[in-house]
Amino acid sequence: MDGKADGKAARAALFEEHRPHLRAVAYRMLGSLSEAEDALQEAWLRYDRTDTAGVDNLGGWLTTVVSRVCLNLLRTRAQRREEPLEPAGPDGEPGPPRIPDPLLRREGVVDPEQEVLLADSVGLALMVVMESLSPAERVAFVLHDLFAVPFDEIAPLIEKTTAATRQLASRARRKVQGQAPAPDPDLGRQRAAVDAFFAAARDGDLDALLAVLDPDVVLRADGGTALARHTVVHTGAGTVAGQAVLWGTLSPFARPALVNGTAGAVVIGDNGRALSIMAFTVVDGAIAAIDVLTDPRRLAALDLTAFRNA
């Protein structure tokens, strides 16, 4: 019995060594922290009942297992047809995707676990765009572009040829690059733009807002839940500036935060209740995208203690 227990403990220890990487893969695939944990639990169960003595690359094997679990979850989402619960566009297409779970921490605070999750600077805007990819596109893009898995290893997972897998990733890449520009790598420049935005909103200064917003800025505000989505999208500096002026009274309650590694804010009212989480994508000193989570149930599920005590 002791030998079996020791063997199980050793296998568990090996799995834990790979857990940070596997969690990062699952989060990027699913955009949900709770579903990512569920995927890891399912991967552990599959690993626990499989003889892996002949596996030369356990990390690669586990990545494939987690990816397959995530692919099944993504396909289940599509089969449930959750997206049509959102307002449809004029062409009859489903409305914009729900904003994924944000990763939050205070600026200047080191969080090693988040550093692994955000090693590739996967900002919230990118995560939002990835929500619009098909399951196969998302798997191919995440594994190849974010984790450098070769196409010939991804192809069997999504039941495609290597050439078709390469095409899927390329198509996904074009969508991502077109809708989620890479943020300014200088966090100080990001914060300066965000601070200027809140100052202008507080003062109701429309000209100052227009100066800090990219002409083609996109604002996505998600007040929906998994069962009743209603993400609202506004585009263009004039429209977004007008919305920001309406939020001016909230500016004093905005507390600086890093949201998926980029400058953002957690807005907490006088009563300590979270009102919103705002993520900004700053490109060349201008705000190109704003993603806002306002759904009370999703906000209540987040640990915002560090921001309430700030």
Side-chain angles (χ1 to χ4, degrees):
M1 290 294 293
D2 288 344
K4 288 184 178 179
D6 289 345
K8 189 175 183 68
R11 286 172 65 80
L14 280 173
F15 186 85
E16 289 304 312
E17 286 181 14
H18 294 285
R19 178 180 287 273
H21 167 78
L22 298 176
R23 186 168 180 254
V25 171
Y27 172 67
R28 286 164 170 74
M29 292 274 194
L30 301 170
S32 165
L33 293 171
S34 61
E35 287 188 349
E37 290 300 330
D38 291 344
L40 262 63
Q41 179 62 23
E42 176 62 25
W44 157 253
L45 293 174
R46 295 188 187 189
Y47 167 62
D48 190 44
R49 57 178 179 251
T50 303
D51 182 2
T52 56
V55 175
D56 294 328
N57 180 4
L58 181 60
W61 186 87
L62 287 170
T63 297
T64 298
V65 172
V66 167
S67 298
R68 184 168 286 115
V69 172
C70 290
L71 178 61
N72 290 337
L73 286 170
L74 290 170
R75 285 172 171 168
T76 299
R77 283 184 190 174
Q79 291 167 358
R80 285 201 306 256
R81 298 297 182 191
E82 292 176 340
E83 289 80 4
L85 292 176
E86 300 177 353
D91 56 358
E93 292 298 314
R98 190 175 67 136
I99 293 175
D101 290 346
L103 298 174
L104 303 168
R105 63 183 169 94
R106 292 178 59 185
E107 291 185 354
V109 176
V110 177
D111 185 331
E113 187 172 317
Q114 277 201 18
E115 292 299 326
V116 175
L117 280 173
L118 296 172
D120 297 300
S121 298
V122 181
L124 200 62
L126 174 58
M127 294 292 292
V128 170
V129 174
M130 287 199 296
E131 290 283 307
S132 67
L133 301 178
S134 71
E137 285 176 336
R138 187 159 184 169
V139 169
F141 175 76
V142 168
L143 288 180
H144 182 267
D145 284 43
L146 303 184
F147 293 99
V149 177
F151 287 123
D152 60 353
E153 294 181 20
I154 302 170
L157 176 63
I158 59 175
E159 301 173 331
K160 302 286 186 182
T161 65
T162 299
T165 302
R166 184 180 290 106
Q167 290 176 348
L168 279 173
S170 178
R171 187 164 63 210
R173 193 179 306 119
R174 288 195 299 271
K175 291 181 182 179
V176 166
Q177 291 173 344
Q179 300 179 53
D184 192 317
D186 188 314
L187 189 57
R189 286 198 293 268
Q190 291 183 34
R191 177 53 60 190
V194 173
D195 287 348
F197 171 87
F198 280 114
R202 183 184 62 244
D203 296 338
D205 190 337
L206 192 60
D207 289 337
L209 281 166
L210 291 173
V212 77
L213 294 172
D214 183 276
D216 299 317
V217 62
V218 177
L219 166 66
R220 292 172 285 246
D222 184 0
T225 66
L227 295 178
R229 299 180 177 181
H230 50 272
T231 305
V232 178
V233 177
H234 300 283
T235 59
T239 301
V240 173
Q243 290 293 314
V245 168
L246 295 177
W247 299 340
T249 56
L250 299 180
S251 294
F253 302 104
R255 308 185 184 189
L258 290 180
V259 185
N260 284 56
T262 61
V266 176
V267 182
I268 298 179
D270 282 334
N271 59 1
R273 184 170 64 89
L275 302 176
S276 66
I277 291 169
M278 303 180 68
F280 294 79
T281 302
V282 178
V283 180
D284 296 330
I287 296 172
I290 308 173
D291 292 286
V292 187
L293 177 62
T294 63
D295 179 63
R297 283 170 287 184
R298 295 186 65 195
L299 292 172
L302 299 171
D303 182 4
L304 302 177
T305 305
F307 300 98
R308 290 190 177 94
N309 298 335

